[in-house]
Amino acid sequence: MRHRTSVAIVGAGPAGLLLGQLLHARGIDFVIVENRSREYALARIRAGVLEQSSVDVLESVGLADNLHERGLVHDGIYLQHEGVRTHIDFRDLVGRTVTVYGQQQVVRDLMAAHDAIGSSVYYEASDVTPSGVETPRPLLTFSHGGESHEVEADFIVGADGFHGVCRTIIPATEISVFERNYECAWLGILADVAPSTDELIYALHPDGFAMHSMRSTTVSRLYLQVEPDDDIANWSDERIWDGLHERLGTPGWTLNEGPITEKSITPMRSSVASTLSYGRLFLVGDAGHIVPPTGAKGLNSAISDVAMLGAAIGEHYDGTSTRLADYSRRALSRQWKTQYFSQWMTDMLHTPSIQTPKDLAAFRYRSQLGQLEFVTGSQHAQQTLAEQYTGLSIE
């Protein structure tokens, strides 16, 4: 079966689905192809904090009703060290907020919006292959339901993640990938218990980083720093709660426990491709870059890419291609600022690996305490954190 469309999108995660909605709002036709099932996309436990910038993008296409009804607006975060917890008030510092609203729910809202407009979204596609991106008529081929499909498009967008196919078709001579692997990982849990805090807690402790987040008023999301090669089988529910009590504890505060419904270990890394475009192929989100989760930037970075690219494609069909030609430079400029912030937060809040010599580890830990004391004691430092955490502007 042969199709013709303006934009062929590979990947039906939040980036691909949101781009489709932005194109629809401009009257631009598209096709979305995803190799996973719809159920898989809805089941993934991922990010849960939306920048003010991301909320603004979702509002712009009428996709924020559920977010405003169910999301938890936070005016700031807590930074904790040596048992002392300090509130960083974003609203007071920069007049902006963040919203706790799980990526699963964002995807659910986007799927419902596509169902309502009858979008062409192919789940469980196989042999997804983009080609001809150096030509005026790129082609996306795939199999679905036992039938072969060919989609001729003006542009192909890779929203297919770090392990997707789109980035791999860019010749090695035209792209480099800059990476950093961190010496720590996150053990994350979901627990059926009301949050023990009104806003997120980021804690540095001699035993390692800990974080208290949430997904709703009845579901808590919590994290412990572990070694990258650790095994989740080593962590009983009792051991996890003991670790959280120890690292998050402060005088007069109680951590509520509840049934753990999901637990996993996620290594931490940074990765940025040197270009997000090649011919008529464009990369968005994890297909082009990955950040450690400490700064809550993964989903938000994807949304900023999509907002830039969607507007640029719209202008192209209106007769102006300047911003489309400049998409990669503009998106990467914002991304490197995001990488800096995520790296800064990660280095400030995570203790050295157990493999680090003791004297070096002791020096680094004390320098981290000094850094946290400076940040929590300086309004200017807090404003810098608040500006970046709530989201840089999207051009």
Side-chain angles (χ1 to χ4, degrees), residues 114-191:
H114 280 286
D115 291 343
I117 63 176
S119 301
S120 297
V121 184
Y122 296 85
Y123 292 97
E124 299 184 84
S126 59
D127 302 319
V128 181
T129 307
S131 62
V133 296
E134 308 94 334
T135 74
R137 289 289 183 268
L139 195 67
L140 182 66
T141 61
F142 62 96
S143 297
H144 183 265
E147 188 172 21
S148 297
H149 294 257
E150 292 185 349
V151 180
E152 185 184 272
D154 295 330
F155 304 104
I156 293 178
V157 176
D160 51 344
F162 182 78
H163 298 290
V165 66
C166 287
R167 189 181 68 253
T168 67
I169 71 168
I170 301 177
T173 54
E174 302 296 326
I175 190 171
S176 300
V177 178
F178 307 102
E179 295 184 315
R180 175 185 172 183
N181 291 313
Y182 292 82
E183 57 184 14
C184 54
W186 275 15
L187 187 160
I189 68 167
L190 275 178

Side-chain angles (χ1 to χ4, degrees), residues 44-366:
R44 299 184 75 190
I45 306 295
R46 298 296 294 274
V49 178
L50 293 177
E51 298 172 351
Q52 180 66 59
S53 304
S54 297
V55 173
D56 294 344
V57 171
L58 293 170
E59 285 178 339
S60 72
V61 285
L63 291 169
D65 289 349
N66 287 337
L67 185 156
H68 289 313
E69 180 181 346
R70 303 172 190 170
L72 306 175
V73 177
H74 285 190
D75 289 344
I77 59 172
Y78 295 100
L79 292 180
Q80 179 176 319
H81 62 287
E82 300 289 274
V84 177
R85 188 175 297 166
T86 302
H87 187 241
I88 311 298
D89 193 320
F90 299 157
R91 189 187 293 274
D92 181 57
L93 290 162
V94 296
R96 292 163 69 80
T97 63
V98 295
T99 302
V100 175
Y101 193 66
Q103 178 171 315
Q104 289 168 291
Q105 191 57 54
V106 173
V107 170
R108 192 180 304 277
D109 294 344
L110 287 166
M111 286 180 173
H114 280 286
D115 291 343
I117 63 176
S119 301
S120 297
V121 184
Y122 296 85
Y123 292 97
E124 299 184 84
S126 59
D127 302 319
V128 181
T129 307
S131 62
V133 296
E134 308 94 334
T135 74
R137 289 289 183 268
L139 195 67
L140 182 66
T141 61
F142 62 96
S143 297
H144 183 265
E147 188 172 21
S148 297
H149 294 257
E150 292 185 349
V151 180
E152 185 184 272
D154 295 330
F155 304 104
I156 293 178
V157 176
D160 51 344
F162 182 78
H163 298 290
V165 66
C166 287
R167 189 181 68 253
T168 67
I169 71 168
I170 301 177
T173 54
E174 302 296 326
I175 190 171
S176 300
V177 178
F178 307 102
E179 295 184 315
R180 175 185 172 183
N181 291 313
Y182 292 82
E183 57 184 14
C184 54
W186 275 15
L187 187 160
I189 68 167
L190 275 178
D192 284 339
V193 61
S196 306
T197 178
D198 57 336
E199 295 181 338
L200 277 64
I201 302 169
Y202 288 82
L204 173 68
H205 186 275
D207 292 345
F209 169 78
M211 179 179 178
H212 190 324
S213 182
M214 65 281 290
R215 286 296 177 266
S216 69
T217 56
T218 60
V219 177
S220 295
R221 182 76 161 146
L222 301 108
Y223 300 94
L224 287 170
Q225 176 186 345
V226 298
E227 293 293 301
D229 59 354
D230 207 338
D231 189 332
I232 195 65
N234 296 329
W235 289 85
S236 65
D237 291 3
E238 181 180 12
R239 185 186 178 193
I240 291 171
W241 285 117
D242 286 347
L244 289 166
H245 280 289
E246 176 64 28
R247 300 186 196 184
L248 290 170
T250 58
W253 179 79
T254 301
L255 174 65
N256 301 320
E257 294 187 21
I260 295 176
T261 59
E262 189 272 343
K263 57 183 176 181
S264 60
I265 292 177
T266 303
M268 300 173 68
R269 69 179 184 274
S270 293
S271 173
V272 185
S274 61
T275 183
L276 301 181
S277 64
Y278 176 69
R280 288 183 169 247
L281 170 70
F282 299 93
L283 304 178
V284 295
D286 286 0
H289 43 73
I290 290 176
V291 292
T294 322
K297 294 303 176 193
L299 174 58
N300 293 296
S301 293
I303 290 175
S304 68
D305 285 353
V306 167
M308 289 186 194
L309 183 59
I313 291 175
E315 289 182 3
H316 167 83
Y317 286 107
D318 289 339
T320 304
S321 296
T322 303
R323 287 214 293 174
L324 186 58
D326 201 32
Y327 160 72
S328 179
R329 184 199 63 80
R330 292 185 299 115
L332 284 175
S333 175
R334 188 183 193 275
Q335 175 56 208
W336 278 114
K337 298 181 183 76
T338 297
Q339 287 286 344
Y340 156 72
F341 176 68
S342 299
Q343 178 178 256
W344 178 79
M345 287 279 286
T346 302
D347 289 342
M348 179 171 65
L349 290 162
H350 292 77
T351 56
S353 166
I354 59 174
Q355 307 299 326
T356 305
K358 288 185 178 180
D359 55 346
L360 177 58
F363 180 90
R364 286 175 55 182
Y365 181 73
R366 282 161 179 76

